[in-house]
Amino acid sequence: MAKILMIGGTGNISTAVSELLLRQGHELHLLCRNGITDTPALSGVFVHLGDSNDEAGMSKFLQGKNFDCVVNWVVWDTGQAERDIRLFEGKTAQYIFISTASAYQKPPASHIVTEKTPLSNPYWEYSRKKIACERAFMTAYEKHGFPATIVRPSLTYGQKWIPYAMASDKSWSLIDRIRKGKRVIVPGDGTSLWTVTNSADFALGFAGLAANGKAVGEDFHITSDEVLTWGTILDQIGEAVGTQPQKTHISTEFITAFIPQKEGSLLGDKVNSLIFDNSKLRRFVPDYKPVIPFREGIKKTVAFLQSQPSLQTIDEPYEATIDKIIAAHDYGKGMAG
């Protein structure tokens, strides 16, 4: 079994990965700023308190330590990437960088995405920063053998977050909106093809790459094989809530006129039809088989949120903006009519 260090490890995606690695018998170390007191399933983990952005503190922490695999879930820019290259050179047999599938070419030349699809996203700075990080890690691999592996998740959800194109970060807002019969925006006509992945399925693929020497120098996306439309995704969220969503179809351009910060996540990601080919992942992890359909996975997410009063908060400013967009859209339709 491998000795694995994860920086982070208790987030939306990473919690499921941590839990699976522990079940598989790996020696798992988590470096966190605030501990893991709210994650009882990780009771077998070695917890280290620290801040990965404190390079001097990290250097001290790493003295005398070596790992089979290091995973950093919280690298967002090239400064952090270059810091980790300095810190973990000679300290690990593999370093996994968590990138994003939104890094793939937008607008896409093809709806079928493989690891050979070019990396380019003029709409989303987040994606461009991740691309720059990938290049930093792979340059270090090519120049002096830094043992980098690139992993690209795509819209992966767990217990606490509902993956919908127009949802707030506070997922209860969408549940509340559906339950009250308030209208929910669907970008465009809702027929774009998309893949939503449960974190437990993602963990199956990730665990097969961790401490896998053959994966060094390689890049992978890890997604479900299920393909849905945004209209179907919203319908299945409604099934989990127990109420049929009241859909309002609005163009992405109209939405982003009111919420400019949505341009990246919509035009740079979710409104494009994308189907991810997991063939490369299966060549390295032959047993990878996602088994959780969205209809079933989202029921568990909604049930968990319904059982957690502390998570049942509404993003009032965001909801007010949604109402404003719908009102403006209705007014424009009336004027046009």
Side-chain angles (χ1 to χ4, degrees):
M1 291 294 102
K3 182 179 180 181
I4 299 173
L5 171 66
M6 297 219 297
I7 300 170
T10 61
N12 172 56
I13 305 176
S14 57
T15 296
V17 172
S18 296
E19 291 173 352
L20 179 57
L21 291 174
L22 283 173
R23 290 198 300 272
Q24 291 179 339
H26 296 289
E27 180 184 320
L28 182 60
H29 295 253
L30 298 188
L31 180 77
C32 309
R33 286 183 295 180
N34 301 311
I36 58 168
T37 55
D38 63 342
T39 315
L42 302 182
S43 58
V45 76
F46 294 89
V47 180
H48 309 275
L49 297 181
D51 183 352
S52 62
N53 290 309
D54 175 7
E55 185 169 351
M58 286 294 296
S59 182
K60 184 177 180 180
F61 164 71
L62 290 169
Q63 286 180 5
K65 295 183 177 69
N66 283 278
F67 297 93
D68 298 303
C69 178
V70 170
V71 186
N72 195 337
W73 296 90
V74 288
V75 170
W76 314 110
D77 58 44
T78 52
Q80 293 171 325
E82 290 164 357
R83 174 207 66 208
D84 275 13
I85 292 167
R86 291 191 297 269
L87 284 170
F88 293 105
E89 186 85 59
K91 290 289 184 180
T92 182
Q94 181 190 39
Y95 176 101
I96 299 181
F97 168 59
I98 308 300
S99 185
T100 171
S102 68
Y104 288 119
Q105 182 184 56
K106 304 296 185 309
S110 169
H111 65 286
I112 303 296
V113 178
T114 73
E115 286 80 0
K116 292 183 179 180
T117 299
L119 304 181
S120 174
N121 193 327
Y123 301 104
W124 205 355
E125 183 182 19
Y126 163 75
S127 305
R128 293 193 296 274
K129 287 184 174 180
K130 288 288 192 176
I131 293 169
C133 288
E134 288 197 26
R135 289 173 178 158
F137 283 117
M138 295 314 293
T139 296
Y141 167 73
E142 292 162 3
K143 286 186 174 181
H144 48 89
F146 184 78
T149 297
I150 308 298
V151 169
R152 303 184 187 110
S154 177
L155 201 60
T156 305
Y157 68 101
Q159 284 188 315
K160 300 179 181 180
W161 182 67
I162 293 177
Y164 181 62
M166 288 301 297
S168 162
D169 288 340
K170 297 179 180 178
S171 288
W172 188 255
S173 282
L174 181 61
I175 294 175
D176 182 76
R177 192 172 191 92
I178 293 172
R179 289 172 69 178
K180 290 178 177 176
K182 299 181 73 175
R183 289 153 70 185
V184 179
I185 294 175
V186 180
D189 63 7
T191 61
S192 298
L193 301 175
W194 198 256
T195 300
V196 185
T197 307
N198 188 277
S199 59
D201 279 339
F202 175 89
L204 292 172
F206 190 95
L209 296 175
N212 182 342
K214 293 180 180 179
V216 170
E218 301 287 348
D219 58 341
F220 306 87
H221 50 247
I222 304 175
T223 75
S224 170
D225 295 324
E226 181 181 38
V227 179
L228 303 170
T229 67
W230 281 111
T232 300
I233 289 168
L234 183 56
D235 285 338
Q236 293 185 4
I237 294 170
E239 286 179 25
V241 174
T243 305
Q244 178 67 40
Q246 302 301 307
K247 300 177 185 175
T248 296
H249 296 269
I250 300 179
S251 74
T252 302
E253 291 76 11
F254 195 88
I255 294 167
T256 56
F258 288 84
I259 316 177
Q261 63 270 31
K262 275 285 185 183
E263 181 181 78
S265 66
L266 292 177
L267 292 174
D269 199 25
K270 298 177 182 65
V271 299
N272 301 281
S273 285
L274 297 174
I275 299 173
F276 295 91
D277 181 345
N278 286 303
S279 298
K280 180 177 181 180
L281 175 65
R282 287 194 171 90
R283 290 200 300 272
F284 287 76
V285 188
D287 294 335
Y288 179 64
K289 184 179 180 181
V291 296
I292 304 173
F294 183 68
R295 172 176 271 117
E296 299 305 318
I298 198 62
K299 288 178 182 177
K300 294 181 179 179
T301 299
V302 169
F304 181 80
L305 290 168
Q306 289 173 334
S307 73
Q308 300 293 316
S310 64
L311 299 177
Q312 295 171 14
T313 56
I314 297 172
D315 190 339
E316 299 287 358
Y318 184 79
E319 291 304 312
T321 301
I322 296 298
D323 291 336
K324 184 178 179 180
I325 294 171
I326 292 172
H329 183 259
D330 288 348
Y331 178 79
K333 285 180 65 178
M335 292 291 288

